[in-house]
Amino acid sequence: METVKAYGASSATSDLEMMHIDRRDLTGNDVQIDILYCGVCHSDIHTARSEWGPASYPVVPGHEIVGKVIATGPGVTAFKEGDLVGVGCMVDSCRECSACREGLEQYCENGAVMTYGGKDKHLGGHTFGGYSQNIVVDEAFVVRVPENLDIARVAPLLCAGITTWSPLRHWNVKKGDKVGVIGLGGLGHMGIKLAHALGAYVVMITRSMDKAEDAKALGADEVLLSTDEKAMQKHANSFDFLMNTIPVGHDLNPYISLMKRDTTMAIVGAIEPLKSVHGGMLVSKRKNIAGSMIGGIEETQEMLDFCGEHNILPDVEMIDIQNINEAWERVVRADVKYRFVIDMKSLQ
Amino acid sequence: METVKAYGASSATSDLEMMHIDRRDLTGNDVQIDILYCGVCHSDIHTARSEWGPASYPVVPGHEIVGKVIATGPGVTAFKEGDLVGVGCMVDSCRECSACREGLEQYCENGAVMTYGGKDKHLGGHTFGGYSQNIVVDEAFVVRVPENLDIARVAPLLCAGITTWSPLRHWNVKKGDKVGVIGLGGLGHMGIKLAHALGAYVVMITRSMDKAEDAKALGADEVLLSTDEKAMQKHANSFDFLMNTIPVGHDLNPYISLMKRDTTMAIVGAIEPLKSVHGGMLVSKRKNIAGSMIGGIEETQEMLDFCGEHNILPDVEMIDIQNINEAWERVVRADVKYRFVIDMKSLQ
């Protein structure tokens, strides 16, 4: 067992502060990763503040982890010291249920072990995330980071990237499809980049005109103001796929009206009640509303390899860990383009 | 042009009464059908009472029509005098859009012509339905009724039958699947019969225990009381498909909890706001909520042929047309097992 430095919250109302946590000794298939960068996800804040139900404290957040392998257990075959790797939202799962066998560990029937706040089978208690010096993870939940990518910007791919990639792939978005990305935050900006790289005609759907220029720079072919009734009508029944990244409950009906027959709107943002859905709008053109959660490990590797090939990276703002509380306040105000990444050297 | 007897409503608040309507002369592809039986669908009432928006009066309802061909236009190839045929909710569509070309006339991009209250291209005004002596319909919208079926009971297949068949087929329900049918009315009782005949393990999901025995007689393998929290929990995440026939807005969340990962709940009843849908429940297991509306003509023929092979028929209560107003009141009170059929001889 090794004691390492971390930043965490000791209660729902406390700021993050420096603390010490334990990392387990390496078991057969474990790799130990020196954390170089960690992305800041809104989930970190929701969890630490017990906004998604009571958290176990201390909470050490962080599930967009990029680092270098510094040690490997004797059974490790896929990685060696010095490898550039990533860890996302999960560090383990049952590996036996139908979901795990299909490579969909995020839907593990017995509950995947989340990177922070999950049940720690090794040390007891709960897991601690990436706002820390290093982490020990079973190699089955470690992915390889393509060497050609700018490593300082890779981290958000491990959550924002895979969360938007997985639905694009599951619902088979392809060249020429008209894809709408609703909401321009951490998820939305990755959705635009990935859908664009897949060859889709990407429409950024937003309520705020001042996001239009940004959206185009990110790869959107068009911007649709959801408050402009005429424009919304012009786009009615025309989309092959909608990705809804709005992080809070909202009225889905205006977006449902945009969908072609037999298409899907995938909810990837909101995990709360979605107010009203009009049954008739679904019925009249056999439309689907679905949810999608992060992605499996194999799919995460696929996404990273795709990003390597196409040189796709999130737009990030680098911070030191000492500025994390201020950064969180800015995340809450949606004042970031589009993801904070913590340079973990600052914790040394 | 021929003037025939019919029953219709002359205003949103009037009872149905005998009236005379015009039927067009046969064009090339038309068949004239002597109506023998017509089913009573709740939509008839909603439309006649302007509950789904202002109707054009008089409204002559009826879109579950069974009869005999008595005349054919010179271009008719599929039918001849004496054939036993059916007409459902549509009598025409554009036949050129992508939906029509795929045999999904119900989703016609230019709007299918509904059997009653649709725009009549031939005589002007609006179409009149099956509460009448006869009807003239393009052969492309006429289906063949298997001769072995008890003809007095066939009519409800043309709406209740196809509305439940189409989603079962579209979402590929197969032998051994666990299918939940939510709500036991005209649609629900056909859903049970058809899902059972497809080899599914059928669970009737209802709030009322007194429907349990009936549901089993109809082919349900099990009854699940949605008010029984323990039973609902026992069935959590276990269904391969849900067909939701509840005709009014309601809370979908208890039903979403019953679905397996990557499965669909098809709404076939409610065409109004569905209150709240919990985004997190969709996200956590990539669940889908979809709508489905009646079915295409080819699919309707497929369903009738399947019912012929398996001798599947709705449970009906026969009435004379003179009792229609009383029957409607009973439909509104859900006091019918499970569909009224009008013996149209009573209109002669």
Side-chain angles (χ1 to χ4, degrees):
Chain A
M1 208 160 70
E2 185 186 354
T3 299
V4 304
K5 286 192 232 172
Y7 258 63
S10 51
S11 79
T13 53
S14 65
D15 274 355
L16 298 197
E17 57 190 3
M18 229 266 274
M19 52 179 62
H20 289 85
I21 57 170
D22 291 329
R23 294 300 189 187
R24 70 178 181 263
D25 294 329
L26 271 62
T27 63
N29 295 303
D30 281 340
V31 301
Q32 185 170 27
I33 302 161
D34 176 38
I35 301 175
L36 300 174
Y37 299 98
C38 185
V40 176
C41 176
H42 208 142
S43 315
D44 299 349
I45 304 170
H46 287 306
T47 304
R49 295 183 176 170
S50 285
E51 291 169 359
W52 284 348
S56 301
Y57 294 93
V59 171
V60 174
H63 58 206
E64 298 180 337
I65 299 169
V66 166
K68 271 217 155 89
V69 174
I70 49 173
T72 56
V76 170
T77 56
F79 301 98
K80 60 177 196 310
E81 256 181 68
D83 283 353
L84 203 54
V85 296
V87 174
C89 301
M90 302 176 284
V91 288
D92 210 342
S93 71
C94 84
R95 311 190 198 189
E96 286 175 356
C97 70
S98 65
C100 287
R101 284 198 310 267
E102 289 176 43
L104 297 167
E105 298 86 356
Q106 76 272 35
Y107 302 121
C108 174
E109 305 283 337
N110 298 301
V113 180
M114 294 294 122
T115 301
Y116 57 83
K119 191 179 167 171
D120 189 331
K121 309 191 229 186
H122 302 271
L123 297 182
H126 60 275
T127 53
F128 296 119
Y131 292 12
S132 61
Q133 288 180 299
N134 73 44
I135 191 167
V136 176
V137 180
D138 188 295
E139 64 172 331
F141 285 77
V142 176
V143 286
R144 189 169 294 279
V145 174
E147 299 276 343
N148 65 305
L149 290 175
D150 174 2
I151 185 181
R153 293 171 62 193
V154 167
L157 296 178
L158 277 308
C159 171
I162 185 61
T163 298
T164 49
W165 175 258
S166 182
L168 288 169
R169 296 289 287 165
H170 181 67
W171 281 282
N172 194 28
V173 166
K174 54 191 188 309
K175 201 170 153 58
D177 281 356
K178 182 172 173 182
V179 170
V181 176
I182 307 168
L184 182 51
L187 293 176
H189 103 289
M190 280 312 307
I192 292 172
K193 289 184 184 218
L194 291 169
H196 174 76
L198 284 166
Y201 181 87
V202 181
V203 180
M204 172 70 227
I205 305 170
T206 174
R207 284 182 304 187
S208 115
M209 201 56 212
D210 54 346
K211 292 195 172 165
E213 283 313 304
D214 287 352
K216 287 192 177 171
L218 294 167
D221 296 285
E222 198 175 334
V223 175
L224 171 57
L225 270 183
S226 59
T227 50
D228 179 344
E229 267 184 47
K230 255 194 194 152
M232 288 291 278
Q233 216 140 30
K234 209 187 101 209
H235 284 273
N237 302 314
S238 72
F239 282 85
D240 295 293
F241 183 69
L242 291 181
M243 187 190 298
N244 186 332
T245 74
I246 300 176
V248 293
H250 59 282
D251 182 3
L252 294 184
N253 295 320
Y255 307 113
I256 298 173
S257 72
L258 299 174
M259 299 159 68
K260 268 189 197 164
R261 167 175 58 84
D262 282 324
T263 61
T264 296
M265 165 160 51
I267 310 288
V268 298
I271 58 164
E272 48 190 277
L274 293 164
K275 293 185 185 155
S276 125
V277 168
H278 199 288
M281 293 180 69
L282 298 180
V283 165
S284 67
K285 287 197 182 287
R286 203 160 58 185
K287 295 174 178 182
N288 300 265
I289 298 172
S292 180
M293 181 171 71
I294 48 177
I297 299 302
E298 195 181 322
E299 203 170 33
T300 304
Q301 187 63 65
E302 177 196 68
M303 177 272 307
L304 283 172
D305 293 345
F306 180 87
C307 289
E309 267 170 57
H310 297 263
N311 200 33
I312 297 171
L313 284 167
D315 288 16
V316 307
E317 187 173 333
M318 300 297 302
I319 57 166
D320 286 344
I321 188 71
Q322 292 76 15
N323 303 119
I324 187 67
N325 292 301
E326 185 197 332
W328 275 23
E329 289 316 309
R330 288 183 51 201
V331 170
V332 170
R333 294 198 304 269
D335 172 27
V336 53
K337 288 177 178 178
Y338 285 92
R339 211 65 158 178
F340 285 112
V341 170
I342 311 166
D343 183 344
M344 295 304 298
K345 274 197 312 289
S346 56
L347 186 57
Q348 301 307 316
Chain B
M1 207 160 71
E2 187 187 352
T3 299
V4 304
K5 287 193 234 171
Y7 259 64
S10 51
S11 79
T13 54
S14 65
D15 274 356
L16 297 197
E17 57 189 2
M18 228 265 274
M19 52 178 62
H20 288 86
I21 57 170
D22 292 328
R23 293 301 189 187
R24 69 178 182 262
D25 295 327
L26 272 62
T27 63
N29 295 303
D30 280 342
V31 301
Q32 186 170 27
I33 302 161
D34 177 38
I35 300 175
L36 301 173
Y37 300 98
C38 186
V40 175
C41 175
H42 208 142
S43 314
D44 300 349
I45 304 170
H46 288 305
T47 304
R49 296 183 176 171
S50 285
E51 290 168 0
W52 283 348
S56 301
Y57 294 94
V59 170
V60 174
H63 59 207
E64 297 180 336
I65 298 169
V66 165
K68 271 218 154 88
V69 174
I70 50 174
T72 57
V76 170
T77 56
F79 301 99
K80 60 176 195 308
E81 257 180 68
D83 282 354
L84 204 56
V85 296
V87 174
C89 301
M90 302 175 285
V91 289
D92 211 342
S93 71
C94 84
R95 312 190 197 188
E96 287 173 355
C97 71
S98 65
C100 287
R101 284 199 310 269
E102 289 177 43
L104 298 168
E105 298 86 356
Q106 76 273 34
Y107 303 120
C108 174
E109 305 283 338
N110 299 300
V113 180
M114 295 292 120
T115 301
Y116 58 83
K119 192 177 165 173
D120 189 331
K121 309 190 227 184
H122 302 271
L123 297 182
H126 59 275
T127 55
F128 297 118
Y131 293 11
S132 62
Q133 288 182 298
N134 72 45
I135 192 168
V136 176
V137 181
D138 188 295
E139 65 172 329
F141 286 77
V142 177
V143 286
R144 190 170 294 280
V145 174
E147 299 276 344
N148 66 305
L149 290 175
D150 175 1
I151 185 181
R153 293 170 61 191
V154 167
L157 296 178
L158 277 309
C159 171
I162 185 61
T163 298
T164 49
W165 175 258
S166 182
L168 288 169
R169 296 288 287 166
H170 181 68
W171 280 283
N172 194 29
V173 166
K174 53 190 188 310
K175 201 171 152 59
D177 281 356
K178 182 173 174 182
V179 170
V181 176
I182 307 168
L184 182 51
L187 293 177
H189 102 289
M190 281 311 308
I192 292 173
K193 288 185 184 218
L194 292 169
H196 174 76
L198 284 166
Y201 181 86
V202 182
V203 180
M204 171 71 227
I205 304 170
T206 174
R207 282 183 304 186
S208 115
M209 202 54 212
D210 54 348
K211 292 194 173 167
E213 282 313 305
D214 288 351
K216 287 193 176 168
L218 293 167
D221 296 285
E222 197 174 336
V223 175
L224 171 57
L225 270 183
S226 58
T227 50
D228 179 345
E229 265 184 50
K230 255 196 194 150
M232 289 291 279
Q233 217 140 29
K234 208 186 101 207
H235 284 272
N237 302 316
S238 72
F239 282 86
D240 295 292
F241 183 68
L242 291 181
M243 187 189 300
N244 185 331
T245 75
I246 300 175
V248 294
H250 59 282
D251 182 3
L252 294 184
N253 295 321
Y255 307 113
I256 298 174
S257 71
L258 299 174
M259 299 158 67
K260 267 187 196 163
R261 167 174 59 84
D262 281 324
T263 61
T264 295
M265 167 160 51
I267 309 288
V268 299
I271 58 164
E272 49 191 275
L274 292 164
K275 293 185 186 155
S276 122
V277 169
H278 199 289
M281 293 179 68
L282 299 179
V283 164
S284 66
K285 286 196 182 290
R286 203 161 56 184
K287 295 176 179 182
N288 299 265
I289 298 172
S292 180
M293 181 171 71
I294 49 176
I297 300 301
E298 195 182 321
E299 203 171 33
T300 304
Q301 187 63 64
E302 177 196 69
M303 176 272 307
L304 283 171
D305 295 344
F306 180 87
C307 290
E309 267 171 57
H310 296 264
N311 200 34
I312 297 170
L313 284 167
D315 288 14
V316 306
E317 187 173 334
M318 301 294 304
I319 57 166
D320 287 343
I321 188 72
Q322 292 76 16
N323 303 119
I324 187 67
N325 291 302
E326 186 197 331
W328 274 23
E329 289 316 307
R330 288 183 51 201
V331 171
V332 170
R333 295 198 304 269
D335 172 27
V336 53
K337 286 179 178 177
Y338 284 92
R339 212 63 158 178
F340 286 112
V341 171
I342 311 166
D343 183 343
M344 294 304 298
K345 275 198 310 290
S346 57
L347 185 59
Q348 301 305 315

